[in-house]
Amino acid sequence: MMGPAHSLSGAAAWLGVGAATAGAGHPMPWPVLVVGALISAGAALAPDLDHKAATISRAFGPISRTLCEVVDKLSHAVYKATRMRGDARRSGGHRTLTHTWLWAVLIGAGASALAMTGGRWAVLGILFVHLVLAVEGLLWRMARTSSDVLVWLLGATSAWLLADILNKPGNGSDWLFSGPGQEYLWLGLPIILGALVHDIGDALTVSGCPILWPIPIGRKRWHPIGPPKGMRFRAGSWVELKVLTPVFMFLGGLGGLGALDYI
């Protein structure tokens, strides 16, 4: 799928989680709901860091372009080192390592550990990166016609304000994990969710997605998971734009209302 649909699906997924946790007796404070939806929207773009034309690869200028090259080479090296007899030869790393459940869990766990041990500046850094990506995905028309500096300023300002709001008592820094030193442990959850939703979205396209790596399936370790080929679509096609995008918006609104106990 394309960037806007990925971001919408990530935000909708977190809002749906908010509705589910509210129903289970662990409602999210509204700052957690908002911040989590924005982080998940941004994280839903992150797996494409292995592709030089992706939104995330150009979102932070030369820093993200360089990181993209590193991730692409790393992904390709891991693919070559772990592929089985049934896996095809390939020349790049797109839709390999960063499009797996293991990558999603490791990145989310790393973010949680960083947020808990790194203090306010670590939280601000995580928020900044994901809020910039959320702007690039959800407000892509505005982002495409604005300079990168303006998008970065919007991300930095939003990160600063939201971090202050979260840090106030009762606003959610210790949501779900309330033990000593566990503040912001939950911050990795929307990152994991966003990455997994991205992978599921890509699995619906014609190429599929090796979400289950490194679990072997038949003679392949990088088996492209997806529905039957007749049910798949091309990225950017009318199915994505006219069907899935409105569905994500509807489900996100429904989840938000449920999370806030309006329905």
Side-chain angles (χ1 to χ4, degrees):
M1 291 197 300
M2 305 299 286
H6 276 311
S7 284
L8 273 174
S9 66
W14 184 257
L15 293 170
V17 169
T21 57
H26 296 283
M28 295 179 184
W30 72 264
V32 173
L33 186 69
V34 172
V35 171
L38 291 172
I39 290 177
S40 190
L45 297 180
D48 277 342
L49 188 58
D50 59 7
H51 194 294
K52 64 181 181 180
T55 299
I56 185 175
S57 300
R58 49 184 170 74
F60 300 96
I63 295 176
S64 53
R65 287 195 293 271
T66 301
L67 188 57
C68 169
E69 294 178 5
V70 172
V71 171
D72 179 48
K73 291 178 181 178
L74 171 64
S75 298
H76 188 215
V78 172
Y79 181 89
K80 289 194 299 182
T82 62
R83 74 183 187 91
M84 296 173 64
R85 185 173 300 178
D87 293 310
R89 295 183 180 275
R90 55 185 303 154
S91 58
H94 182 47
R95 283 203 186 184
T96 55
L97 180 61
T98 62
H99 286 69
T100 65
W101 70 270
L102 184 58
W103 176 272
V105 171
L106 290 176
I107 293 299
S112 287
L114 181 62
M116 286 193 301
T117 59
R120 177 180 174 82
W121 289 106
V123 172
L124 282 171
I126 293 169
L127 289 178
F128 169 71
V129 169
H130 289 91
L131 290 178
V132 167
L133 292 176
V135 170
E136 293 278 2
L138 298 175
L139 304 176
W140 65 275
R141 292 186 185 274
M142 183 205 77
R144 293 286 174 86
T145 57
S146 302
S147 70
D148 287 341
V149 174
L150 289 177
V151 175
W152 299 340
L153 285 173
L154 177 59
T157 303
S158 302
W160 191 274
L161 293 174
L162 290 171
D164 277 346
I165 292 172
L166 278 174
N167 206 40
K168 292 179 179 178
N171 276 3
S173 62
D174 60 350
W175 175 73
L176 201 60
F177 304 99
S178 56
Q182 292 184 343
E183 292 82 5
Y184 296 108
L185 178 58
W186 64 268
L187 213 58
L189 297 179
I191 295 175
I192 295 173
L193 182 64
L196 291 177
V197 168
H198 176 111
D199 297 343
I200 294 170
D202 278 355
L204 299 176
T205 63
V206 293
S207 299
C209 188
I211 304 173
L212 296 181
W213 180 87
I215 301 171
I217 299 177
R219 298 171 63 231
K220 296 182 178 181
R221 195 178 300 278
W222 296 91
H223 186 82
I225 300 296
K229 290 188 176 181
M231 298 175 63
R232 303 185 189 188
F233 58 89
R234 293 190 178 278
S237 69
W238 68 270
V239 175
E240 179 179 332
L241 299 176
K242 303 296 184 182
V243 178
L244 292 182
T245 297
V247 167
F248 294 150
M249 295 177 69
F250 173 75
L251 292 178
L254 204 63
L257 291 173
L260 296 172
D261 202 27
Y262 284 109
I263 58 173

